[in-house]
Amino acid sequence: MDLLKVDTDKCLRCGICVDCCPSCILNLGENGPECHFDRGCMSCGQCVAICPVGALDNKYAPLAEQRPVTMPVLKPETAYEFLRMRRSVRNFKPVPPTDEDLMRLLDVARYAPTAGNSQGLYYVVIRDAEKIKAIAEAVANWMEDEVAAGTENKRYFMTVLRAYRERGQDIIARHAPCLVFALARRLNITGVSNAEQSWAYAELFAPTIGLGTTIAGFIQSCGIAGYRPLLDLVGVPAKQNIVGTLMVGYPKYKYKRMPERQHLKIEFR
Ligand SMILES: Cc1cc2nc3c(=O)[nH]c(=O)nc-3n(C[C@H](O)[C@H](O)[C@H](O)COP(=O)(O)O)c2cc1C
């Protein structure tokens, strides 16, 4: 099959699919949309999803796999409150999240946007308390190396290390019962951005299934830096990198209020 299959009886020749294509590889021919560079298709499925009459199929994003949009757009007040209610959760019940809850959390995360629809994130779930402790320890060791080398994060890491080493507070992994690592192929230079988007989805979805999350910034920075002891603990395959880390668990406490932020800084020019 060619990339596109057009039901010419249904096609309105409206050209919306052509307008939507992120790669600009479609043009409107006599019988509807045509593709002049099949290999440029990023399989995003937009051309199929936007067609008002379901006249278009795409080999890489089949019409048969697309569910109709049925939900109305949320009321802005609902969406605003939902987004503002999200919190970073750093205190967890001492029980790790179930396979089922983690699958639901990460299943929605894969619908987050990725550069060029590259997708390709692999998630590694770690729930072994001893291993999580060893990971925090490895990150502390990495920070000590960074401090000794006088890197730009030196002062910040010294503060973290004071809490972790001297006061015995787990500022690195927060005693999380579960860490999720996002891995991407080394060649995927947008892996870190993709993982950030995927965490945004996961963090917003988590409370709807009783989970809480926090981005494990220290751990993921150590992973992104390619610190070998951490890669070994996580078991990162040779051709992959760590591109993000998320703490996940069932929240121990419930937030009663929503903190304020800096005021909106905006200029219209
Ligand atoms: C890139 C990034 C890294 C973060 N790393 C950590 C971290 O290592 N530990 C932590 O407790 N929180 C971490 N956070 C969470 C922030 O501290 C948190 O989002 C911020 O304080 C605002 O609080 P809120 O998420 O509850 O609104 C991180 C957030 C981001 C976006």
Side-chain angles (χ1 to χ4, degrees):
M1 168 182 164
D2 290 335
L3 178 73
L4 299 183
K5 195 166 153 198
V6 184
D7 183 332
T8 49
D9 292 335
K10 281 189 187 167
C11 178
L12 305 171
R13 282 108 175 124
C14 60
I16 299 178
C17 51
V18 176
D19 284 346
C20 281
C21 176
S23 306
C24 298
I25 53 170
L26 305 187
N27 54 277
L28 197 57
E30 247 173 55
N31 295 317
E34 295 167 353
C35 179
H36 50 82
F37 182 46
D38 286 13
R39 280 189 296 131
C41 176
M42 55 172 78
S43 328
C44 69
Q46 286 242 355
C47 55
V48 176
I50 199 89
C51 178
V53 291
L56 186 58
D57 208 346
N58 180 318
K59 185 167 66 167
Y60 299 143
L63 175 63
E65 289 178 5
Q66 296 204 358
R67 279 207 288 126
V69 177
T70 52
M71 205 182 96
V73 173
L74 293 178
K75 288 206 172 82
E77 302 78 22
T78 309
Y80 188 86
E81 290 301 296
F82 170 70
L83 293 168
R84 279 208 52 188
M85 273 168 64
R86 181 212 51 80
R87 289 275 72 77
S88 293
V89 171
R90 301 183 179 84
N91 299 92
F92 304 97
K93 292 180 181 159
V95 33
T98 62
D99 285 9
E100 194 196 348
D101 285 344
L102 285 163
M103 294 279 281
R104 287 181 82 187
L105 184 76
L106 298 172
D107 184 62
V108 77
R110 76 195 165 91
Y111 288 99
T114 53
N117 199 32
S118 52
Q119 305 181 64
L121 289 176
Y122 302 81
Y123 298 106
V124 173
V125 173
I126 297 184
R127 285 174 290 192
D128 174 339
E130 286 308 310
K131 187 165 266 195
I132 292 173
K133 237 189 228 174
I135 286 171
E137 193 58 29
V139 172
N141 292 341
W142 170 71
M143 285 183 175
E144 279 162 350
D145 289 355
E146 293 286 295
V147 169
T151 58
E152 58 185 23
N153 288 321
K154 181 178 164 179
R155 277 178 188 285
Y156 187 33
F157 286 174
M158 279 167 67
T159 316
V160 174
L161 286 164
R162 266 198 291 279
Y164 185 79
R165 291 267 190 245
E166 292 166 29
R167 297 198 299 277
Q169 292 171 301
D170 186 12
I171 189 172
I172 295 173
R174 308 297 306 203
H175 302 292
C178 173
L179 294 177
V180 178
F181 286 84
L183 311 185
R185 286 178 74 86
R186 282 203 190 154
L187 292 176
N188 186 347
I189 56 164
T190 60
V192 173
S193 306
N194 294 345
E196 282 166 354
Q197 299 282 337
S198 118
W199 293 157
Y201 269 46
E203 292 218 285
L204 286 164
F205 186 70
T208 72
I209 53 170
L211 287 174
T213 58
T214 283
I215 296 173
F218 302 125
I219 304 175
Q220 73 177 21
S221 298
C222 177
I224 292 165
Y227 186 62
R228 180 43 59 191
L230 176 61
L231 303 193
D232 289 344
L233 280 165
V234 177
V236 179
K239 290 187 178 160
Q240 292 183 16
N241 276 342
I242 290 174
V243 288
T245 313
L246 193 68
M247 306 175 206
V248 186
Y250 300 107
K252 190 169 158 192
Y253 309 120
K254 196 170 173 224
Y255 290 90
K256 304 287 193 306
R257 285 165 285 278
M258 300 186 292
E260 235 340 309
R261 292 287 207 243
Q262 292 175 2
H263 67 271
L264 176 64
K265 300 179 206 66
I266 181 169
E267 267 186 53
F268 298 94
R269 291 188 174 151

